Amino acid sequence: MLNWGSGANNPKFKQRRQNLVDKLRDKGIEDERVLSAINMVPRHVFVDTALEDRAYKDSALPIGKKQTISQPYTVARQTELLEAKPGEKVLEIGTGSGYQAAILCELGAEVYTVERHKKLYEKARSTLRELGYSVQAKLGDGTKGWSAYAPYDAIVVTAGAPVVPDDLVDQLNVNGRLVVPVGSEERQEMVRIIKIRKDEFERERYSSFKFVPLIGEKGWKG
């Protein structure tokens, strides 16, 4: 799946990826499929070349437009909670750099992703294509989901929402999972919603995180 051209297979980063995986395991990430995906995806390709030496630190990095590539632990934890299985249809809200979408591809998911910033959308789509990942990408308001391809088996939101967007819940398949950080603009609680039946949902709460705000009609106002 992964095309190791375009500097992706720079040998100096291979051990750094493994060290990052070991650190994430020590911090409590248990899903070996998620850890294997993180060990496969060249995170340094998704950041500016000036930042690539920091790509395998467990920290968020700027990608422009006041957005970030999330801390690897955050990506791993959200992905772990998402429980994406091979062949499942997964919607990502907030493409950003494209890194999370690549992780989902490595898990064998059929990935759909929405980004509101044109520059980030174009760059992420180009990076994913160069690496050989097949992703359906859309420029638009992610708070409204992507109804044309609904329902989804899983939906992950990579920005902090003031409330859970109803449109995303509506676009879940039965037994589908929605993972979304919810709270203030300063701090959010990770929430997982599982659709048990058409009108029955289970809501779970996890640790606190800090995300950039989810901007859109059903999120924060830009």
Side-chain angles (χ1 to χ4, degrees), residues 7 33 59 72 85 101 128-129 159 172 175 185 200 202:
R33 291 178 60 243
S59 59
K85 302 173 185 66
L128 289 164
R129 188 185 302 117
L172 274 181
N175 297 318
E185 290 188 75
E200 183 180 346
E202 183 178 296

Side-chain angles (χ1 to χ4, degrees), residues 1 15 39 52 86 103 109 114 116 137 141-143 152 172 190 192-193 214:
M1 178 186 296
Q15 187 58 50
N39 204 14
E52 66 178 18
I103 296 293
V114 183
R116 73 185 187 93
D141 182 354
T143 67
Y152 300 95
L172 274 181
M190 197 66 72
R192 179 167 70 174
I193 293 175
L214 178 68

Side-chain angles (χ1 to χ4, degrees), residues 80-144:
E80 189 172 56
L81 290 173
L82 202 63
E83 297 182 350
K85 302 173 185 66
E88 285 193 328
K89 191 158 57 169
V90 179
L91 174 65
E92 177 195 26
I93 304 303
T95 314
S97 69
Y99 179 70
Q100 173 73 80
I103 296 293
L104 294 170
C105 287
E106 284 293 339
L107 293 175
E110 181 182 330
V111 181
Y112 298 80
T113 183
V114 183
E115 172 57 52
R116 73 185 187 93
H117 291 290
K118 185 176 181 181
K119 184 177 179 181
L120 296 181
Y121 160 78
E122 291 175 343
K123 185 175 181 181
R125 198 166 62 154
S126 174
T127 302
L128 289 164
R129 188 185 302 117
E130 286 176 9
L131 290 172
Y133 293 116
S134 179
V135 172
Q136 293 285 342
K138 174 186 176 181
L139 180 65
D141 182 354
T143 67
K144 297 189 286 187

Side-chain angles (χ1 to χ4, degrees), residues 2 9 22 24-25 45 48 51 61 66 70 76-77 93 97 100 104 108 111 120 124-126 142-143 160 186 192 205:
L2 179 59
N9 199 27
D22 293 341
L24 296 178
R25 189 181 285 112
V45 175
D48 190 276
L51 298 173
L61 294 171
K66 299 182 180 179
S70 292
R77 186 62 178 135
I93 304 303
S97 69
Q100 173 73 80
L104 294 170
V111 181
L120 296 181
R125 198 166 62 154
S126 174
T143 67
E186 289 71 39
R192 179 167 70 174
R205 293 176 172 84

